[in-house]
Amino acid sequence: MPRHITAALGFRAHTGWAAVVAVAKDCEILDRRRIAYEPSTTRFVYHNAADMPPDKAAASIELAGAETGKAAELEIHSLIAALAQKKIVVRTACVPAGNSKLPEMLADILAAHSRIHAAEGVFYREALVAACRSLGIRVKRAPERDLRTLAANALGSTVEDVQKRFQSMAKYLGPPWGEDQKLATLAACFALG
């Protein structure tokens, strides 16, 4: 029976898309790609809702959430299927958490532009979390600002050694290898550890 490789996914979410990296033991990069998962109406869900009456705003966000979750699930499933063809099994993932604490009431979120922006970030990160969980993937959360330390600990290394390793990875991986891919890789290493 062929041996399977266990992998983890790491994400760096943006408004309507995310960088995702799959890693195996010792932070070996197996796949990296950009996935798109925005709703059909607008990718700026909370900005759009701010211009609506409250009852329509909530319904609009709920509908966009369902569409976004389904789109994220399809994109992640496609990645998992591609990895499965190579005998790679994804068991865990990390979707980094933001630093903002949002009010519980939608009206309070929509009352301040800074909270609208924060809510957009939460919206897209939570869509990734829900999609992973619906696919049977265990999800870890950690503040993005802590990923360097958490990944280094998971690898039994230091932050400085991980940074050096990432610099050398750029030479053989080629583009894209920017901040998005690095943070997604750190998230995946943390998830695997």
Side-chain angles (χ1 to χ4, degrees):
M1 180 173 193
R3 187 168 175 246
H4 285 80
I5 297 170
T6 300
L9 301 179
F11 295 89
R12 174 92 189 286
H14 290 274
T15 305
W17 67 277
V20 58
V21 176
V23 302
K25 186 176 157 187
D26 295 328
C27 207
E28 175 193 355
I29 295 179
L30 305 170
D31 197 312
R32 58 195 162 128
R33 59 180 69 182
R34 182 183 197 265
I35 61 171
Y37 60 107
E38 65 185 63
S40 60
T41 51
T42 178
R43 68 183 190 153
F44 299 105
V45 176
Y46 280 81
H47 284 82
N48 191 46
D51 296 331
M52 298 178 176
D55 60 328
K56 291 191 188 242
S60 175
I61 292 168
E62 186 176 334
L63 177 61
E67 285 186 14
T68 303
K70 188 64 177 165
E73 189 175 328
L74 289 171
E75 290 280 339
I76 296 166
H77 182 270
S78 175
L79 171 57
I80 291 169
L83 291 168
Q85 288 186 342
K86 300 175 187 175
K87 305 283 190 238
I88 299 167
V89 178
V90 176
R91 301 208 189 276
T92 188
C94 176
V95 178
N99 301 324
S100 301
K101 175 92 170 113
L102 292 172
E104 289 190 28
M105 301 298 294
L106 179 58
D108 294 334
I109 293 171
L110 299 179
H113 198 124
S114 61
R115 289 192 293 253
I116 290 171
H117 275 281
E120 300 280 9
V122 169
F123 178 85
Y124 285 103
R125 286 190 298 272
E126 292 306 315
L128 291 171
V129 170
C132 286
R133 287 182 177 153
S134 73
L135 292 166
I137 300 170
R138 189 176 66 250
V139 179
K140 291 184 177 183
R141 305 300 302 270
E144 189 174 90
R145 68 176 176 265
D146 297 340
L147 286 176
R148 283 176 174 74
T149 302
L150 293 169
N153 291 341
L155 292 167
S157 188
T158 65
V159 171
E160 294 76 22
D161 287 341
V162 171
Q163 287 178 297
K164 288 177 190 173
R165 186 174 186 179
F166 276 23
Q167 287 171 345
S168 67
M169 289 167 91
K171 294 174 186 169
Y172 69 84
L173 286 174
W177 187 243
E179 191 68 7
D180 288 331
Q181 291 75 27
K182 291 173 187 173
L183 286 168
T185 301
L186 289 169
C189 291
F190 165 63
L192 196 58

PDB file of all heavy atoms in Angstrom, residues 58-80:
ATOM      1  N   ALA A  58     -28.441  43.013   6.856  1.00  0.00           N
ATOM      2  CA  ALA A  58     -28.211  41.708   7.484  1.00  0.00           C
ATOM      3  C   ALA A  58     -28.461  40.576   6.501  1.00  0.00           C
ATOM      4  O   ALA A  58     -27.677  39.624   6.417  1.00  0.00           O
ATOM      5  CB  ALA A  58     -29.097  41.556   8.715  1.00  0.00           C
ATOM      6  N   ALA A  59     -29.547  40.686   5.721  1.00  0.00           N
ATOM      7  CA  ALA A  59     -29.866  39.651   4.735  1.00  0.00           C
ATOM      8  C   ALA A  59     -28.798  39.589   3.647  1.00  0.00           C
ATOM      9  O   ALA A  59     -28.418  38.504   3.194  1.00  0.00           O
ATOM     10  CB  ALA A  59     -31.239  39.906   4.126  1.00  0.00           C
ATOM     11  N   SER A  60     -28.310  40.747   3.239  1.00  0.00           N
ATOM     12  CA  SER A  60     -27.270  40.802   2.208  1.00  0.00           C
ATOM     13  C   SER A  60     -25.979  40.141   2.687  1.00  0.00           C
ATOM     14  O   SER A  60     -25.342  39.380   1.949  1.00  0.00           O
ATOM     15  CB  SER A  60     -27.005  42.260   1.824  1.00  0.00           C
ATOM     16  OG  SER A  60     -25.929  42.361   0.927  1.00  0.00           O
ATOM     17  N   ILE A  61     -25.601  40.401   3.925  1.00  0.00           N
ATOM     18  CA  ILE A  61     -24.387  39.802   4.494  1.00  0.00           C
ATOM     19  C   ILE A  61     -24.560  38.293   4.625  1.00  0.00           C
ATOM     20  O   ILE A  61     -23.642  37.520   4.311  1.00  0.00           O
ATOM     21  CB  ILE A  61     -24.042  40.453   5.847  1.00  0.00           C
ATOM     22  CG1 ILE A  61     -23.609  41.901   5.630  1.00  0.00           C
ATOM     23  CG2 ILE A  61     -22.952  39.662   6.573  1.00  0.00           C
ATOM     24  CD1 ILE A  61     -23.525  42.723   6.891  1.00  0.00           C
ATOM     25  N   GLU A  62     -25.730  37.859   5.042  1.00  0.00           N
ATOM     26  CA  GLU A  62     -25.990  36.422   5.180  1.00  0.00           C
ATOM     27  C   GLU A  62     -25.906  35.716   3.831  1.00  0.00           C
ATOM     28  O   GLU A  62     -25.288  34.654   3.715  1.00  0.00           O
ATOM     29  CB  GLU A  62     -27.364  36.208   5.815  1.00  0.00           C
ATOM     30  CG  GLU A  62     -27.641  34.757   6.134  1.00  0.00           C
ATOM     31  CD  GLU A  62     -28.964  34.559   6.847  1.00  0.00           C
ATOM     32  OE1 GLU A  62     -29.442  35.485   7.529  1.00  0.00           O
ATOM     33  OE2 GLU A  62     -29.517  33.453   6.714  1.00  0.00           O
ATOM     34  N   LEU A  63     -26.511  36.293   2.803  1.00  0.00           N
ATOM     35  CA  LEU A  63     -26.462  35.712   1.462  1.00  0.00           C
ATOM     36  C   LEU A  63     -25.018  35.678   0.948  1.00  0.00           C
ATOM     37  O   LEU A  63     -24.559  34.666   0.406  1.00  0.00           O
ATOM     38  CB  LEU A  63     -27.350  36.493   0.498  1.00  0.00           C
ATOM     39  CG  LEU A  63     -27.324  36.035  -0.963  1.00  0.00           C
ATOM     40  CD1 LEU A  63     -27.815  34.594  -1.089  1.00  0.00           C
ATOM     41  CD2 LEU A  63     -28.181  36.968  -1.822  1.00  0.00           C
ATOM     42  N   ALA A  64     -24.305  36.773   1.125  1.00  0.00           N
ATOM     43  CA  ALA A  64     -22.907  36.828   0.690  1.00  0.00           C
ATOM     44  C   ALA A  64     -22.068  35.797   1.439  1.00  0.00           C
ATOM     45  O   ALA A  64     -21.178  35.166   0.867  1.00  0.00           O
ATOM     46  CB  ALA A  64     -22.343  38.229   0.896  1.00  0.00           C
ATOM     47  N   GLY A  65     -22.373  35.593   2.721  1.00  0.00           N
ATOM     48  CA  GLY A  65     -21.649  34.597   3.510  1.00  0.00           C
ATOM     49  C   GLY A  65     -21.839  33.192   2.970  1.00  0.00           C
ATOM     50  O   GLY A  65     -20.891  32.412   2.886  1.00  0.00           O
ATOM     51  N   ALA A  66     -23.070  32.874   2.582  1.00  0.00           N
ATOM     52  CA  ALA A  66     -23.343  31.544   2.018  1.00  0.00           C
ATOM     53  C   ALA A  66     -22.600  31.352   0.700  1.00  0.00           C
ATOM     54  O   ALA A  66     -21.977  30.305   0.473  1.00  0.00           O
ATOM     55  CB  ALA A  66     -24.844  31.355   1.828  1.00  0.00           C
ATOM     56  N   GLU A  67     -22.643  32.361  -0.167  1.00  0.00           N
ATOM     57  CA  GLU A  67     -21.942  32.273  -1.454  1.00  0.00           C
ATOM     58  C   GLU A  67     -20.434  32.168  -1.263  1.00  0.00           C
ATOM     59  O   GLU A  67     -19.769  31.370  -1.921  1.00  0.00           O
ATOM     60  CB  GLU A  67     -22.248  33.510  -2.312  1.00  0.00           C
ATOM     61  CG  GLU A  67     -23.601  33.530  -2.928  1.00  0.00           C
ATOM     62  CD  GLU A  67     -23.771  34.722  -3.868  1.00  0.00           C
ATOM     63  OE1 GLU A  67     -22.776  35.370  -4.251  1.00  0.00           O
ATOM     64  OE2 GLU A  67     -24.928  34.998  -4.219  1.00  0.00           O
ATOM     65  N   THR A  68     -19.915  32.978  -0.369  1.00  0.00           N
ATOM     66  CA  THR A  68     -18.476  33.011  -0.125  1.00  0.00           C
ATOM     67  C   THR A  68     -17.992  31.693   0.458  1.00  0.00           C
ATOM     68  O   THR A  68     -16.964  31.154   0.045  1.00  0.00           O
ATOM     69  CB  THR A  68     -18.126  34.180   0.811  1.00  0.00           C
ATOM     70  OG1 THR A  68     -18.590  35.384   0.211  1.00  0.00           O
ATOM     71  CG2 THR A  68     -16.640  34.293   1.043  1.00  0.00           C
ATOM     72  N   GLY A  69     -18.743  31.167   1.407  1.00  0.00           N
ATOM     73  CA  GLY A  69     -18.383  29.882   2.004  1.00  0.00           C
ATOM     74  C   GLY A  69     -18.352  28.769   0.979  1.00  0.00           C
ATOM     75  O   GLY A  69     -17.436  27.941   0.961  1.00  0.00           O
ATOM     76  N   LYS A  70     -19.343  28.730   0.100  1.00  0.00           N
ATOM     77  CA  LYS A  70     -19.405  27.692  -0.938  1.00  0.00           C
ATOM     78  C   LYS A  70     -18.232  27.842  -1.913  1.00  0.00           C
ATOM     79  O   LYS A  70     -17.599  26.852  -2.294  1.00  0.00           O
ATOM     80  CB  LYS A  70     -20.739  27.764  -1.678  1.00  0.00           C
ATOM     81  CG  LYS A  70     -20.974  26.626  -2.616  1.00  0.00           C
ATOM     82  CD  LYS A  70     -21.069  25.321  -1.850  1.00  0.00           C
ATOM     83  CE  LYS A  70     -21.378  24.173  -2.765  1.00  0.00           C
ATOM     84  NZ  LYS A  70     -21.139  22.889  -2.143  1.00  0.00           N
ATOM     85  N   ALA A  71     -17.953  29.078  -2.304  1.00  0.00           N
ATOM     86  CA  ALA A  71     -16.835  29.315  -3.233  1.00  0.00           C
ATOM     87  C   ALA A  71     -15.505  28.919  -2.598  1.00  0.00           C
ATOM     88  O   ALA A  71     -14.659  28.295  -3.246  1.00  0.00           O
ATOM     89  CB  ALA A  71     -16.809  30.787  -3.657  1.00  0.00           C
ATOM     90  N   ALA A  72     -15.310  29.249  -1.320  1.00  0.00           N
ATOM     91  CA  ALA A  72     -14.074  28.875  -0.622  1.00  0.00           C
ATOM     92  C   ALA A  72     -13.967  27.359  -0.522  1.00  0.00           C
ATOM     93  O   ALA A  72     -12.895  26.786  -0.733  1.00  0.00           O
ATOM     94  CB  ALA A  72     -14.041  29.506   0.771  1.00  0.00           C
ATOM     95  N   GLU A  73     -15.088  26.707  -0.218  1.00  0.00           N
ATOM     96  CA  GLU A  73     -15.079  25.254  -0.114  1.00  0.00           C
ATOM     97  C   GLU A  73     -14.688  24.605  -1.448  1.00  0.00           C
ATOM     98  O   GLU A  73     -13.884  23.660  -1.469  1.00  0.00           O
ATOM     99  CB  GLU A  73     -16.463  24.768   0.324  1.00  0.00           C
ATOM    100  CG  GLU A  73     -16.509  23.301   0.661  1.00  0.00           C
ATOM    101  CD  GLU A  73     -17.854  22.870   1.198  1.00  0.00           C
ATOM    102  OE1 GLU A  73     -18.542  23.670   1.861  1.00  0.00           O
ATOM    103  OE2 GLU A  73     -18.212  21.705   0.951  1.00  0.00           O
ATOM    104  N   LEU A  74     -15.208  25.106  -2.547  1.00  0.00           N
ATOM    105  CA  LEU A  74     -14.860  24.557  -3.866  1.00  0.00           C
ATOM    106  C   LEU A  74     -13.379  24.741  -4.180  1.00  0.00           C
ATOM    107  O   LEU A  74     -12.721  23.827  -4.688  1.00  0.00           O
ATOM    108  CB  LEU A  74     -15.721  25.202  -4.957  1.00  0.00           C
ATOM    109  CG  LEU A  74     -17.191  24.808  -4.965  1.00  0.00           C
ATOM    110  CD1 LEU A  74     -17.977  25.685  -5.937  1.00  0.00           C
ATOM    111  CD2 LEU A  74     -17.343  23.334  -5.323  1.00  0.00           C
ATOM    112  N   GLU A  75     -12.851  25.919  -3.874  1.00  0.00           N
ATOM    113  CA  GLU A  75     -11.433  26.195  -4.137  1.00  0.00           C
ATOM    114  C   GLU A  75     -10.525  25.298  -3.289  1.00  0.00           C
ATOM    115  O   GLU A  75      -9.549  24.740  -3.781  1.00  0.00           O
ATOM    116  CB  GLU A  75     -11.121  27.665  -3.859  1.00  0.00           C
ATOM    117  CG  GLU A  75     -11.727  28.634  -4.849  1.00  0.00           C
ATOM    118  CD  GLU A  75     -10.934  28.745  -6.135  1.00  0.00           C
ATOM    119  OE1 GLU A  75      -9.738  28.410  -6.162  1.00  0.00           O
ATOM    120  OE2 GLU A  75     -11.521  29.206  -7.125  1.00  0.00           O
ATOM    121  N   ILE A  76     -10.852  25.168  -2.012  1.00  0.00           N
ATOM    122  CA  ILE A  76     -10.031  24.345  -1.120  1.00  0.00           C
ATOM    123  C   ILE A  76     -10.161  22.868  -1.497  1.00  0.00           C
ATOM    124  O   ILE A  76      -9.175  22.126  -1.497  1.00  0.00           O
ATOM    125  CB  ILE A  76     -10.395  24.607   0.350  1.00  0.00           C
ATOM    126  CG1 ILE A  76     -10.057  26.057   0.714  1.00  0.00           C
ATOM    127  CG2 ILE A  76      -9.668  23.641   1.284  1.00  0.00           C
ATOM    128  CD1 ILE A  76     -10.663  26.535   2.026  1.00  0.00           C
ATOM    129  N   HIS A  77     -11.361  22.448  -1.855  1.00  0.00           N
ATOM    130  CA  HIS A  77     -11.560  21.059  -2.297  1.00  0.00           C
ATOM    131  C   HIS A  77     -10.717  20.756  -3.533  1.00  0.00           C
ATOM    132  O   HIS A  77     -10.129  19.679  -3.653  1.00  0.00           O
ATOM    133  CB  HIS A  77     -13.037  20.787  -2.579  1.00  0.00           C
ATOM    134  CG  HIS A  77     -13.291  19.382  -2.992  1.00  0.00           C
ATOM    135  ND1 HIS A  77     -13.272  18.970  -4.311  1.00  0.00           N
ATOM    136  CD2 HIS A  77     -13.529  18.268  -2.253  1.00  0.00           C
ATOM    137  CE1 HIS A  77     -13.500  17.683  -4.370  1.00  0.00           C
ATOM    138  NE2 HIS A  77     -13.661  17.225  -3.136  1.00  0.00           N
ATOM    139  N   SER A  78     -10.639  21.703  -4.450  1.00  0.00           N
ATOM    140  CA  SER A  78      -9.820  21.528  -5.653  1.00  0.00           C
ATOM    141  C   SER A  78      -8.346  21.333  -5.292  1.00  0.00           C
ATOM    142  O   SER A  78      -7.665  20.471  -5.862  1.00  0.00           O
ATOM    143  CB  SER A  78      -9.987  22.747  -6.564  1.00  0.00           C
ATOM    144  OG  SER A  78      -9.142  22.663  -7.674  1.00  0.00           O
ATOM    145  N   LEU A  79      -7.863  22.116  -4.340  1.00  0.00           N
ATOM    146  CA  LEU A  79      -6.478  21.969  -3.886  1.00  0.00           C
ATOM    147  C   LEU A  79      -6.271  20.608  -3.222  1.00  0.00           C
ATOM    148  O   LEU A  79      -5.303  19.905  -3.506  1.00  0.00           O
ATOM    149  CB  LEU A  79      -6.116  23.098  -2.920  1.00  0.00           C
ATOM    150  CG  LEU A  79      -4.778  22.984  -2.188  1.00  0.00           C
ATOM    151  CD1 LEU A  79      -3.616  22.854  -3.148  1.00  0.00           C
ATOM    152  CD2 LEU A  79      -4.591  24.175  -1.266  1.00  0.00           C
ATOM    153  N   ILE A  80      -7.204  20.216  -2.365  1.00  0.00           N
ATOM    154  CA  ILE A  80      -7.094  18.930  -1.670  1.00  0.00           C
ATOM    155  C   ILE A  80      -7.109  17.777  -2.671  1.00  0.00           C
ATOM    156  O   ILE A  80      -6.351  16.813  -2.536  1.00  0.00           O
ATOM    157  CB  ILE A  80      -8.226  18.783  -0.637  1.00  0.00           C
ATOM    158  CG1 ILE A  80      -8.000  19.764   0.513  1.00  0.00           C
ATOM    159  CG2 ILE A  80      -8.323  17.362  -0.114  1.00  0.00           C
ATOM    160  CD1 ILE A  80      -9.183  19.880   1.443  1.00  0.00           C
TER     161      ILE A  80
END
